[in-house]
Coordinates of all heavy atoms in Angstrom, one line a residue:
M10 N -9.6 -3.1 -3.5 CA -10.9 -2.5 -3.2 C -11.0 -2.2 -1.7 O -10.6 -3.1 -0.9 CB -12.0 -3.4 -3.7 CG -13.4 -2.9 -3.6 SD -14.5 -4.1 -4.2 CE -15.6 -3.0 -5.1
V11 N -11.4 -1.0 -1.3 CA -11.4 -0.6 0.1 C -12.8 0.0 0.3 O -13.3 0.8 -0.4 CB -10.4 0.5 0.4 CG1 -10.4 0.9 1.8 CG2 -9.0 -0.1 0.0
Y12 N -13.5 -0.5 1.4 CA -14.8 -0.1 1.7 C -15.3 -0.5 3.1 O -14.7 -1.5 3.7 CB -15.8 -0.6 0.7 CG -15.8 -2.1 0.5 CD1 -16.7 -2.9 1.3 CD2 -15.0 -2.7 -0.3 CE1 -16.7 -4.3 1.2 CE2 -14.9 -4.1 -0.5 CZ -15.8 -4.9 0.3 OH -15.8 -6.2 0.2
P13 N -16.2 0.2 3.7 CA -16.9 -0.3 4.9 C -17.9 -1.4 4.6 O -18.3 -1.5 3.4 CB -17.5 0.9 5.6 CG -17.8 1.8 4.4 CD -16.7 1.5 3.4
W14 N -18.3 -2.2 5.5 CA -19.3 -3.3 5.2 C -20.2 -3.5 6.4 O -19.8 -3.4 7.6 CB -18.6 -4.6 4.9 CG -19.4 -5.7 4.5 CD1 -19.9 -6.0 3.3 CD2 -20.0 -6.7 5.4 NE1 -20.6 -7.2 3.3 CE2 -20.7 -7.6 4.6 CE3 -19.9 -7.0 6.7 CZ2 -21.4 -8.7 5.1 CZ3 -20.6 -8.0 7.3 CH2 -21.3 -8.9 6.5
S15 N -21.5 -3.8 6.1 CA -22.4 -4.1 7.2 C -23.5 -5.1 6.7 O -23.7 -5.1 5.5 CB -23.1 -2.8 7.8 OG -23.9 -2.2 6.8
S16 N -24.1 -5.8 7.6 CA -25.2 -6.7 7.3 C -26.3 -6.5 8.4 O -26.0 -6.7 9.5 CB -24.6 -8.1 7.4 OG -25.7 -9.0 7.5
Q17 N -27.5 -6.2 7.9 CA -28.6 -6.1 8.8 C -29.0 -7.4 9.3 O -29.5 -7.6 10.4 CB -29.8 -5.4 8.0 CG -29.5 -4.0 7.6 CD -29.3 -3.0 8.7 OE1 -29.8 -3.2 9.8 NE2 -28.5 -2.0 8.4
H18 N -28.8 -8.4 8.4 CA -29.3 -9.8 8.8 C -28.5 -10.4 10.0 O -29.1 -10.9 10.9 CB -29.1 -10.7 7.6 CG -29.4 -12.2 7.8 ND1 -30.7 -12.6 8.1 CD2 -28.6 -13.2 7.9 CE1 -30.6 -13.9 8.3 NE2 -29.4 -14.3 8.2
R19 N -27.2 -10.2 10.0 CA -26.4 -10.8 11.1 C -26.0 -9.7 12.1 O -25.3 -10.1 13.1 CB -25.2 -11.5 10.5 CG -25.4 -12.6 9.6 CD -25.6 -14.0 10.3 NE -24.5 -14.4 11.1 CZ -23.6 -15.3 10.8 NH1 -23.6 -15.9 9.6 NH2 -22.6 -15.6 11.6
G20 N -26.4 -8.5 11.9 CA -26.0 -7.5 12.9 C -24.5 -7.2 12.9 O -24.0 -6.8 14.0
A21 N -23.8 -7.4 11.8 CA -22.4 -7.2 11.8 C -22.0 -6.0 11.0 O -22.6 -5.7 9.9 CB -21.7 -8.4 11.1
Q22 N -21.1 -5.2 11.5 CA -20.6 -4.0 10.9 C -19.1 -4.0 11.0 O -18.5 -4.3 12.0 CB -21.2 -2.8 11.6 CG -20.8 -1.4 11.0 CD -19.5 -0.8 11.7 OE1 -19.3 -1.0 12.9 NE2 -18.7 -0.2 10.9
I23 N -18.4 -3.8 9.8 CA -17.0 -3.8 9.7 C -16.5 -2.4 9.3 O -17.0 -1.9 8.4 CB -16.5 -4.9 8.8 CG1 -16.9 -6.3 9.3 CG2 -15.0 -4.8 8.6 CD1 -16.7 -7.4 8.3
D24 N -15.6 -1.9 10.1 CA -15.1 -0.5 9.9 C -14.5 -0.3 8.5 O -14.7 0.6 7.8 CB -14.2 -0.1 11.0 CG -14.8 0.0 12.3 OD1 -16.0 0.3 12.4 OD2 -14.1 -0.4 13.3
L25 N -13.6 -1.3 8.1 CA -12.9 -1.2 6.8 C -12.6 -2.5 6.3 O -12.0 -3.4 7.1 CB -11.6 -0.3 7.1 CG -10.8 0.0 5.8 CD1 -11.6 0.9 4.9 CD2 -9.5 0.6 6.3
V26 N -12.9 -2.8 5.0 CA -12.5 -4.0 4.4 C -11.5 -3.6 3.3 O -11.8 -2.7 2.5 CB -13.8 -4.7 3.8 CG1 -13.4 -5.9 2.9 CG2 -14.7 -5.1 4.8
I27 N -10.4 -4.4 3.2 CA -9.4 -4.1 2.2 C -9.2 -5.5 1.4 O -8.7 -6.4 2.0 CB -8.1 -3.6 2.7 CG1 -8.3 -2.3 3.5 CG2 -7.1 -3.4 1.6 CD1 -7.1 -1.9 4.3
Q28 N -9.7 -5.5 0.2 CA -9.5 -6.7 -0.6 C -8.2 -6.5 -1.4 O -8.1 -5.7 -2.3 CB -10.7 -6.9 -1.6 CG -11.9 -7.3 -0.9 CD -13.1 -7.5 -1.8 OE1 -13.2 -6.9 -2.8 NE2 -14.0 -8.4 -1.4
R29 N -7.2 -7.3 -1.0 CA -5.8 -7.2 -1.5 C -5.6 -8.0 -2.8 O -6.3 -9.0 -3.0 CB -4.8 -7.6 -0.5 CG -4.9 -6.7 0.8 CD -4.1 -7.2 2.0 NE -3.1 -8.2 1.8 CZ -2.5 -8.8 2.8 NH1 -2.8 -8.5 4.0 NH2 -1.6 -9.7 2.5
A30 N -4.7 -7.5 -3.6 CA -4.4 -8.2 -4.9 C -3.8 -9.6 -4.7 O -3.8 -10.4 -5.6 CB -3.6 -7.4 -5.8
D31 N -3.2 -9.8 -3.5 CA -2.5 -11.0 -3.2 C -3.4 -12.2 -2.7 O -2.9 -13.2 -2.2 CB -1.3 -10.8 -2.2 CG -1.8 -10.3 -0.8 OD1 -3.0 -10.1 -0.6 OD2 -0.9 -10.1 0.0
G32 N -4.7 -12.0 -2.7 CA -5.6 -13.0 -2.3 C -6.0 -13.0 -0.9 O -6.7 -14.0 -0.4
F33 N -5.7 -12.0 -0.2 CA -6.1 -11.8 1.2 C -7.1 -10.7 1.3 O -7.1 -9.7 0.5 CB -4.9 -11.5 2.1 CG -4.0 -12.7 2.3 CD1 -3.0 -12.8 1.4 CD2 -4.2 -13.6 3.3 CE1 -2.1 -13.9 1.5 CE2 -3.3 -14.7 3.4 CZ -2.3 -14.8 2.5
T34 N -8.0 -10.7 2.3 CA -8.9 -9.6 2.7 C -8.6 -9.2 4.1 O -8.7 -10.1 5.0 CB -10.4 -10.0 2.5 OG1 -10.6 -10.3 1.1 CG2 -11.3 -8.9 3.0
D35 N -8.3 -8.0 4.3 CA -8.1 -7.4 5.7 C -9.4 -6.9 6.2 O -10.0 -6.1 5.6 CB -7.0 -6.3 5.7 CG -5.6 -6.8 5.4 OD1 -5.3 -8.0 5.6 OD2 -4.8 -6.0 4.9
I36 N -9.8 -7.4 7.3 CA -11.0 -7.0 8.0 C -10.5 -6.1 9.2 O -9.9 -6.6 10.1 CB -11.8 -8.2 8.6 CG1 -12.2 -9.1 7.5 CG2 -13.0 -7.7 9.4 CD1 -13.1 -8.6 6.5
C37 N -10.7 -4.8 9.1 CA -10.1 -3.8 10.0 C -11.1 -3.3 11.0 O -12.2 -2.8 10.6 CB -9.5 -2.6 9.2 SG -8.3 -3.1 8.0
E38 N -10.8 -3.5 12.3 CA -11.6 -3.0 13.4 C -10.8 -1.8 14.0 O -9.6 -2.0 14.3 CB -11.7 -4.1 14.4 CG -12.8 -5.1 14.1 CD -14.2 -4.4 14.2 OE1 -14.6 -3.9 15.3 OE2 -14.9 -4.4 13.2
M39 N -11.5 -0.7 14.2 CA -10.8 0.5 14.7 C -11.4 0.8 16.1 O -12.6 0.9 16.2 CB -11.0 1.6 13.7 CG -10.4 1.3 12.4 SD -10.7 2.6 11.2 CE -10.1 1.8 9.7
K40 N -10.5 0.9 17.0 CA -10.9 1.2 18.4 C -10.0 2.2 19.1 O -8.8 2.2 18.9 CB -10.8 -0.1 19.3 CG -11.7 -1.2 18.8 CD -13.1 -0.8 19.1 CE -14.1 -1.9 18.6 NZ -15.5 -1.4 18.7
H41 N -10.7 3.1 19.8 CA -10.0 4.2 20.5 C -10.1 3.8 22.0 O -11.1 3.4 22.5 CB -10.7 5.5 20.3 CG -10.1 6.6 21.2 ND1 -8.8 7.0 21.1 CD2 -10.7 7.3 22.2 CE1 -8.6 7.9 22.0 NE2 -9.7 8.1 22.7
S42 N -8.9 3.9 22.7 CA -8.8 3.6 24.1 C -7.6 4.4 24.7 O -6.6 4.5 24.0 CB -8.6 2.1 24.3 OG -8.5 1.8 25.6
A43 N -7.8 4.9 25.9 CA -6.7 5.6 26.5 C -5.5 4.7 26.9 O -4.4 5.1 26.9 CB -7.2 6.3 27.8
N44 N -5.8 3.4 27.1 CA -4.8 2.4 27.3 C -4.8 1.4 26.2 O -5.4 1.6 25.2 CB -5.1 1.7 28.7 CG -5.2 2.6 29.8 OD1 -4.2 3.4 30.0 ND2 -6.3 2.6 30.6
T45 N -4.1 0.3 26.4 CA -4.1 -0.7 25.3 C -5.6 -1.3 25.3 O -6.2 -1.4 26.3 CB -3.1 -1.9 25.6 OG1 -3.4 -2.5 26.9 CG2 -1.7 -1.4 25.5
F46 N -6.0 -1.6 24.1 CA -7.4 -2.2 23.9 C -7.3 -3.7 24.3 O -6.5 -4.4 23.8 CB -7.9 -2.0 22.5 CG -9.3 -2.4 22.3 CD1 -10.3 -1.7 22.8 CD2 -9.5 -3.7 21.7 CE1 -11.7 -2.1 22.6 CE2 -10.8 -4.1 21.5 CZ -11.9 -3.4 22.0
S47 N -8.3 -4.1 25.1 CA -8.3 -5.5 25.5 C -9.5 -6.2 24.9 O -10.7 -5.8 25.0 CB -8.4 -5.6 27.0 OG -8.3 -7.0 27.4
I48 N -9.3 -7.4 24.2 CA -10.3 -8.2 23.7 C -10.8 -9.2 24.8 O -10.0 -10.0 25.2 CB -9.9 -9.0 22.4 CG1 -9.4 -8.0 21.3 CG2 -10.9 -9.9 21.9 CD1 -8.7 -8.6 20.2
D49 N -12.0 -9.1 25.2 CA -12.6 -10.0 26.1 C -13.4 -11.1 25.4 O -13.5 -11.1 24.2 CB -13.4 -9.3 27.2 CG -14.6 -8.6 26.7 OD1 -15.0 -8.8 25.6 OD2 -15.1 -7.8 27.5
N50 N -14.0 -12.0 26.2 CA -14.7 -13.1 25.5 C -15.9 -12.6 24.7 O -16.1 -13.1 23.6 CB -15.2 -14.1 26.6 CG -15.9 -15.3 26.0 OD1 -15.3 -16.0 25.3 ND2 -17.2 -15.4 26.3
D51 N -16.7 -11.7 25.2 CA -17.8 -11.1 24.5 C -17.4 -10.5 23.2 O -18.0 -10.7 22.1 CB -18.6 -10.2 25.3 CG -19.4 -10.8 26.4 OD1 -19.6 -12.1 26.4 OD2 -19.8 -10.2 27.4
Y52 N -16.3 -9.7 23.2 CA -15.9 -9.0 22.0 C -15.3 -10.0 21.0 O -15.4 -9.8 19.8 CB -14.9 -7.9 22.4 CG -14.6 -7.0 21.2 CD1 -15.6 -6.3 20.6 CD2 -13.3 -6.9 20.7 CE1 -15.3 -5.5 19.5 CE2 -13.0 -6.1 19.6 CZ -14.0 -5.4 19.0 OH -13.7 -4.7 17.9
A53 N -14.6 -11.0 21.5 CA -14.0 -12.0 20.7 C -15.2 -12.7 19.9 O -15.0 -13.0 18.7 CB -13.2 -13.0 21.5
M54 N -16.3 -13.0 20.6 CA -17.4 -13.6 19.9 C -18.0 -12.7 18.9 O -18.4 -13.1 17.8 CB -18.5 -14.1 20.9 CG -18.0 -15.2 21.8 SD -19.1 -15.9 23.0 CE -20.6 -15.0 23.0
D55 N -18.1 -11.4 19.2 CA -18.5 -10.4 18.2 C -17.6 -10.3 17.0 O -18.1 -10.3 15.9 CB -18.6 -9.0 18.9 CG -19.2 -7.9 18.0 OD1 -20.3 -8.2 17.4 OD2 -18.6 -6.8 18.0
L56 N -16.3 -10.3 17.2 CA -15.4 -10.3 16.1 C -15.6 -11.5 15.2 O -15.6 -11.4 14.0 CB -14.0 -10.2 16.6 CG -13.5 -8.9 17.2 CD1 -12.1 -9.1 17.8 CD2 -13.5 -7.8 16.1
Q57 N -15.7 -12.7 15.9 CA -15.9 -13.9 15.1 C -17.2 -13.9 14.3 O -17.2 -14.3 13.1 CB -15.9 -15.2 16.0 CG -15.8 -16.5 15.2 CD -14.5 -16.5 14.4 OE1 -13.4 -16.4 14.9 NE2 -14.7 -16.8 13.1
N58 N -18.3 -13.3 14.9 CA -19.5 -13.1 14.2 C -19.3 -12.3 12.9 O -19.9 -12.6 11.8 CB -20.6 -12.5 15.1 CG -21.9 -12.3 14.3 OD1 -22.5 -13.2 13.8 ND2 -22.3 -11.0 14.3
K59 N -18.6 -11.2 13.1 CA -18.3 -10.3 11.9 C -17.6 -11.0 10.8 O -17.9 -10.9 9.6 CB -17.5 -9.1 12.4 CG -18.3 -8.1 13.3 CD -17.4 -7.0 13.7 CE -18.2 -6.1 14.7 NZ -17.6 -4.8 14.9
L60 N -16.5 -11.8 11.2 CA -15.7 -12.5 10.2 C -16.6 -13.5 9.5 O -16.6 -13.7 8.3 CB -14.5 -13.2 10.9 CG -13.5 -12.3 11.4 CD1 -12.5 -13.1 12.3 CD2 -12.8 -11.5 10.3
D61 N -17.4 -14.3 10.3 CA -18.3 -15.3 9.7 C -19.3 -14.7 8.8 O -19.6 -15.2 7.7 CB -18.9 -16.1 10.8 CG -18.0 -17.0 11.6 OD1 -16.8 -17.2 11.2 OD2 -18.4 -17.4 12.7
A62 N -20.0 -13.6 9.3 CA -21.0 -13.0 8.5 C -20.4 -12.4 7.2 O -21.0 -12.6 6.1 CB -21.7 -11.9 9.3
Y63 N -19.3 -11.8 7.3 CA -18.7 -11.2 6.0 C -18.4 -12.3 5.0 O -18.7 -12.2 3.9 CB -17.4 -10.4 6.4 CG -16.7 -10.0 5.1 CD1 -17.2 -8.9 4.4 CD2 -15.7 -10.7 4.6 CE1 -16.6 -8.5 3.2 CE2 -15.1 -10.3 3.4 CZ -15.6 -9.2 2.7 OH -15.0 -8.8 1.5
Q64 N -17.7 -13.4 5.5 CA -17.3 -14.5 4.6 C -18.6 -15.1 4.0 O -18.6 -15.4 2.7 CB -16.5 -15.5 5.3 CG -15.7 -16.4 4.3 CD -14.4 -16.8 4.8 OE1 -14.4 -17.3 5.9 NE2 -13.4 -16.7 4.1
K65 N -19.6 -15.3 4.7 CA -20.8 -16.0 4.2 C -21.6 -15.1 3.3 O -22.0 -15.5 2.2 CB -21.7 -16.5 5.4 CG -22.9 -17.2 4.9 CD -23.8 -17.7 6.0 CE -25.0 -18.4 5.5 NZ -25.9 -18.8 6.6
L66 N -21.8 -13.9 3.7 CA -22.8 -13.0 3.0 C -22.1 -12.3 1.8 O -22.7 -12.0 0.8 CB -23.4 -12.0 3.9 CG -24.2 -12.6 5.0 CD1 -24.7 -11.6 6.0 CD2 -25.4 -13.4 4.4
S67 N -20.8 -12.0 1.9 CA -20.1 -11.4 0.8 C -19.7 -12.4 -0.3 O -19.3 -12.0 -1.4 CB -18.9 -10.6 1.3 OG -17.9 -11.5 1.6
K68 N -19.6 -13.6 0.1 CA -19.1 -14.7 -0.8 C -17.6 -14.5 -1.2 O -17.1 -15.0 -2.2 CB -20.0 -14.9 -2.0 CG -21.4 -15.2 -1.6 CD -22.2 -15.7 -2.7 CE -23.7 -16.0 -2.4 NZ -24.1 -16.2 -1.1
D69 N -16.9 -13.7 -0.4 CA -15.5 -13.4 -0.6 C -14.7 -14.7 -0.3 O -14.8 -15.3 0.8 CB -15.0 -12.3 0.3 CG -13.6 -11.8 0.0 OD1 -12.8 -12.6 -0.6 OD2 -13.2 -10.8 0.5
K70 N -14.0 -15.3 -1.3 CA -13.2 -16.5 -1.1 C -11.8 -16.3 -0.6 O -11.0 -17.3 -0.5 CB -13.2 -17.3 -2.4 CG -14.6 -17.6 -2.9 CD -15.3 -18.5 -1.9 CE -16.7 -18.9 -2.5 NZ -17.6 -19.4 -1.5
R71 N -11.4 -15.0 -0.5 CA -10.0 -14.8 0.0 C -9.8 -15.2 1.5 O -10.8 -15.3 2.2 CB -9.7 -13.3 -0.1 CG -9.7 -12.8 -1.5 CD -9.5 -11.2 -1.5 NE -9.5 -10.6 -2.8 CZ -10.6 -10.2 -3.4 NH1 -11.8 -10.4 -2.9 NH2 -10.5 -9.7 -4.6
T72 N -8.6 -15.4 1.9 CA -8.3 -15.6 3.3 C -8.5 -14.3 4.0 O -8.0 -13.3 3.6 CB -6.8 -16.1 3.4 OG1 -6.7 -17.3 2.7 CG2 -6.5 -16.3 4.9
L73 N -9.2 -14.4 5.2 CA -9.5 -13.2 6.0 C -8.4 -13.0 7.0 O -7.9 -13.9 7.7 CB -10.8 -13.3 6.7 CG -12.0 -13.5 5.8 CD1 -13.3 -13.5 6.7 CD2 -12.1 -12.4 4.7
H74 N -7.9 -11.7 7.2 CA -7.0 -11.3 8.2 C -7.7 -10.3 9.1 O -8.2 -9.3 8.5 CB -5.7 -10.7 7.6 CG -4.8 -11.8 7.2 ND1 -3.6 -11.4 6.5 CD2 -4.7 -13.1 7.2 CE1 -2.9 -12.5 6.2 NE2 -3.6 -13.5 6.6
L75 N -7.7 -10.5 10.4 CA -8.2 -9.5 11.3 C -7.1 -8.5 11.6 O -6.1 -8.9 12.1 CB -8.8 -10.1 12.6 CG -9.3 -9.2 13.6 CD1 -10.5 -8.3 13.1 CD2 -9.7 -9.9 14.9
V76 N -7.4 -7.2 11.3 CA -6.4 -6.1 11.6 C -7.1 -5.2 12.6 O -8.1 -4.7 12.4 CB -6.1 -5.4 10.3 CG1 -5.1 -4.2 10.7 CG2 -5.5 -6.3 9.3
M77 N -6.4 -5.0 13.8 CA -6.9 -4.1 14.8 C -6.1 -2.8 14.7 O -4.9 -2.8 14.8 CB -6.7 -4.7 16.2 CG -7.5 -5.9 16.5 SD -9.3 -5.7 16.5 CE -9.5 -4.6 17.9
V78 N -6.8 -1.7 14.4 CA -6.3 -0.4 14.4 C -6.7 0.3 15.6 O -7.9 0.6 15.9 CB -6.8 0.4 13.1 CG1 -6.2 1.8 13.0 CG2 -6.5 -0.4 11.8
T79 N -5.7 0.6 16.5 CA -6.1 1.1 17.9 C -5.2 2.3 18.2 O -4.1 2.5 17.6 CB -5.8 0.0 18.9 OG1 -4.5 -0.3 19.0 CG2 -6.7 -1.2 18.7
T80 N -5.6 3.0 19.2 CA -4.8 4.2 19.7 C -3.5 3.7 20.3 O -2.4 4.2 19.9 CB -5.6 4.9 20.8 OG1 -7.0 5.1 20.3 CG2 -5.0 6.3 21.1
N81 N -3.5 2.7 21.2 CA -2.3 2.3 21.9 C -2.0 0.8 21.9 O -1.4 0.3 22.8 CB -2.5 2.7 23.4 CG -2.5 4.2 23.5 OD1 -1.6 4.9 23.1 ND2 -3.6 4.8 24.1
G82 N -2.5 0.1 20.9 CA -2.2 -1.3 20.8 C -3.2 -2.2 21.4 O -4.2 -1.7 22.0
V83 N -3.0 -3.5 21.3 CA -3.9 -4.5 21.8 C -3.2 -5.3 22.9 O -2.1 -5.7 22.7 CB -4.4 -5.4 20.7 CG1 -5.4 -6.5 21.2 CG2 -5.0 -4.6 19.5
T84 N -4.0 -5.6 24.0 CA -3.4 -6.4 25.1 C -3.2 -7.8 24.6 O -4.1 -8.4 24.0 CB -4.4 -6.4 26.3 OG1 -4.7 -5.0 26.7 CG2 -3.9 -7.2 27.4
H85 N -2.0 -8.3 24.9 CA -1.7 -9.7 24.6 C -2.3 -10.7 25.6 O -1.6 -11.0 26.6 CB -0.2 -9.9 24.4 CG 0.4 -9.1 23.3 ND1 1.2 -9.7 22.3 CD2 0.2 -7.9 22.8 CE1 1.5 -8.9 21.4 NE2 0.9 -7.7 21.7
N86 N -3.5 -11.1 25.4 CA -4.2 -12.0 26.3 C -4.6 -13.2 25.6 O -4.1 -13.5 24.5 CB -5.4 -11.3 27.0 CG -6.5 -10.8 26.0 OD1 -6.5 -11.2 24.9 ND2 -7.3 -10.0 26.5
N87 N -5.6 -14.0 26.1 CA -6.0 -15.3 25.5 C -6.7 -15.1 24.2 O -6.8 -16.0 23.4 CB -6.9 -16.0 26.4 CG -6.2 -16.5 27.7 OD1 -5.0 -16.7 27.7 ND2 -7.0 -16.8 28.7
Y88 N -7.2 -13.9 23.9 CA -7.9 -13.6 22.6 C -7.0 -12.9 21.6 O -7.5 -12.7 20.4 CB -9.2 -12.8 22.9 CG -10.0 -13.5 23.9 CD1 -10.1 -13.1 25.2 CD2 -10.8 -14.6 23.5 CE1 -10.9 -13.8 26.1 CE2 -11.6 -15.3 24.4 CZ -11.6 -14.9 25.7 OH -12.4 -15.5 26.6
Y89 N -5.8 -12.6 21.9 CA -5.0 -11.8 21.0 C -4.6 -12.6 19.7 O -4.4 -12.1 18.7 CB -3.7 -11.4 21.7 CG -2.8 -10.6 20.8 CD1 -3.0 -9.3 20.6 CD2 -1.7 -11.2 20.2 CE1 -2.2 -8.5 19.7 CE2 -0.8 -10.5 19.4 CZ -1.1 -9.2 19.1 OH -0.3 -8.4 18.3
N90 N -4.7 -14.0 19.9 CA -4.3 -14.8 18.7 C -5.3 -14.7 17.5 O -5.0 -15.2 16.4 CB -4.2 -16.3 19.1 CG -5.5 -16.9 19.6 OD1 -6.4 -16.2 20.0 ND2 -5.5 -18.2 19.7
M91 N -6.4 -14.0 17.7 CA -7.4 -13.8 16.6 C -6.8 -12.7 15.7 O -7.2 -12.7 14.5 CB -8.7 -13.2 17.2 CG -9.5 -14.1 18.1 SD -11.0 -13.3 18.6 CE -11.9 -13.4 17.1
V92 N -5.9 -11.9 16.2 CA -5.4 -10.7 15.4 C -4.2 -11.1 14.6 O -3.2 -11.6 15.1 CB -5.0 -9.6 16.4 CG1 -4.5 -8.4 15.7 CG2 -6.2 -9.2 17.3
Q93 N -4.3 -10.8 13.3 CA -3.1 -11.1 12.4 C -2.2 -9.9 12.3 O -1.0 -10.1 12.1 CB -3.6 -11.5 11.0 CG -4.0 -12.9 10.8 CD -5.3 -13.3 11.5 OE1 -6.2 -12.5 11.4 NE2 -5.3 -14.4 12.1
K94 N -2.7 -8.7 12.6 CA -1.9 -7.5 12.5 C -2.5 -6.4 13.4 O -3.7 -6.3 13.5 CB -1.9 -7.0 11.1 CG -1.2 -5.7 10.8 CD 0.3 -5.8 10.9 CE 1.0 -4.5 10.5 NZ 2.4 -4.5 10.9
E95 N -1.7 -5.7 14.1 CA -2.2 -4.5 14.9 C -1.4 -3.3 14.4 O -0.2 -3.4 14.1 CB -2.1 -4.7 16.4 CG -0.7 -4.7 17.0 CD -0.8 -4.8 18.5 OE1 -1.0 -3.8 19.2 OE2 -0.5 -6.0 18.9
I96 N -2.2 -2.2 14.3 CA -1.6 -0.9 13.9 C -2.0 0.1 14.9 O -3.2 0.2 15.3 CB -2.1 -0.5 12.5 CG1 -1.8 -1.6 11.4 CG2 -1.6 0.8 12.1 CD1 -2.4 -1.4 10.1
T97 N -1.0 0.8 15.4 CA -1.3 1.9 16.4 C -1.4 3.2 15.8 O -1.0 3.4 14.6 CB -0.2 1.9 17.5 OG1 1.0 2.3 16.9 CG2 -0.1 0.5 18.2
M98 N -1.9 4.2 16.5 CA -2.0 5.5 16.1 C -0.7 6.1 15.7 O -0.5 6.8 14.7 CB -2.7 6.4 17.1 CG -2.9 7.9 16.7 SD -3.8 8.8 17.9 CE -2.7 8.8 19.3
D99 N 0.4 5.8 16.4 CA 1.7 6.3 16.1 C 2.2 5.8 14.8 O 2.8 6.5 14.0 CB 2.7 5.8 17.2 CG 2.5 6.5 18.5 OD1 1.9 7.6 18.5 OD2 3.0 6.1 19.5
E100 N 1.8 4.5 14.4 CA 2.2 4.0 13.1 C 1.5 4.7 12.0 O 2.0 4.9 10.9 CB 2.0 2.5 13.1 CG 2.9 1.7 14.0 CD 2.5 0.3 14.1 OE1 1.4 0.0 14.5 OE2 3.3 -0.6 13.6
L101 N 0.3 5.1 12.2 CA -0.5 5.8 11.2 C 0.1 7.1 10.9 O -0.1 7.6 9.7 CB -2.0 6.0 11.6 CG -2.8 4.7 11.7 CD1 -4.2 5.0 12.2 CD2 -3.0 4.1 10.3
F102 N 0.6 7.8 11.9 CA 1.1 9.2 11.7 C 2.6 9.3 11.6 O 3.2 10.4 11.7 CB 0.6 10.1 12.8 CG -0.9 10.2 12.7 CD1 -1.8 9.5 13.6 CD2 -1.6 10.9 11.7 CE1 -3.1 9.6 13.6 CE2 -2.9 11.0 11.6 CZ -3.7 10.4 12.6
T103 N 3.3 8.2 11.4 CA 4.8 8.2 11.2 C 5.2 8.5 9.8 O 4.6 8.1 8.9 CB 5.4 6.9 11.6 OG1 4.9 6.5 12.9 CG2 6.9 7.0 11.7

């Protein structure tokens, strides 16, 4: 099942949710940036809020994977470990 998701209650909006047959749910965040996209402390807290809100309000029992879909990748900094998979624009159009 593939769909966008949002919650008025927690102020969380997810660009794309993919519920996979193997028991995982991919939570996809899509970001456009001229350079690599950097996750800072504030955005990391926002991402965690989205994951927590989705899991609580959707009652999805699958393991969540954060997938970043970006133009030029994600900067490997202190917050990069939140990301299970990154997909770049080049990978989408290959």
